[in-house]
Structures are given as structure tokens and as C-alpha cells.
Amino acid sequence: MVSPETLPMAEKINRLRTKKGLPPLQISRIEYQMAQDKIRISSTRISEGKIDRHGRLLIG
């Protein structure tokens, strides 16, 4: 699974694999999930204690 941000790199990897005679990897694109504050959920925001893993705000 890849995010919209990493999709171009996944496609590049598949092009390189094809050139080397390897089968391409299956790419599944997932959309970002938004927290209560309409900003995407990220591991950084979770580890900083700003949101929980469900996107609920922990600090004001």
C-alpha cells in the first residue's frame, strides 16, 4: 500500500523492475485519513501527542 505522496516512487520502482525482467509489484493506493481537526493523521502527530491513532485531538 502506498500513499498519494509515495505513489510516484512505487511506479518508478515498477518501471525499473520491468526493465530488469522482473514482474511489477501490485500497487494499492490508499487515501489519507483526516483527524478531527481536518489535518491528516500521521505517526509524527501521534508520537508528539497531538492526536491519538484514531485522529482524536489530545491537545488544544
Side-chain angles (χ1 to χ4, degrees), residues 18-31:
T18 301
K19 285 181 183 178
K20 292 183 177 188
L22 298 170
L25 301 172
Q26 180 179 353
I27 299 172
S28 298
R29 181 178 176 217
I30 57 168
E31 293 300 322

Side-chain angles (χ1 to χ4, degrees), residues 8-60:
M9 183 56 71
E11 292 170 336
K12 180 179 180 178
I13 289 168
N14 270 348
R15 286 191 299 275
L16 293 171
R17 288 178 61 86
T18 301
K19 285 181 183 178
K20 292 183 177 188
L22 298 170
L25 301 172
Q26 180 179 353
I27 299 172
S28 298
R29 181 178 176 217
I30 57 168
E31 293 300 322
Y32 293 124
Q33 296 297 309
M34 298 299 158
Q36 280 180 332
D37 59 2
K38 307 297 184 215
I39 299 172
R40 70 181 168 112
I41 295 173
S42 70
S43 60
T44 300
R45 294 183 71 209
I46 294 168
S47 65
E48 289 175 350
K50 295 179 180 179
I51 59 172
D52 68 14
R53 65 188 190 128
H54 302 287
R56 293 182 291 245
L57 295 177
L58 298 177
I59 59 175

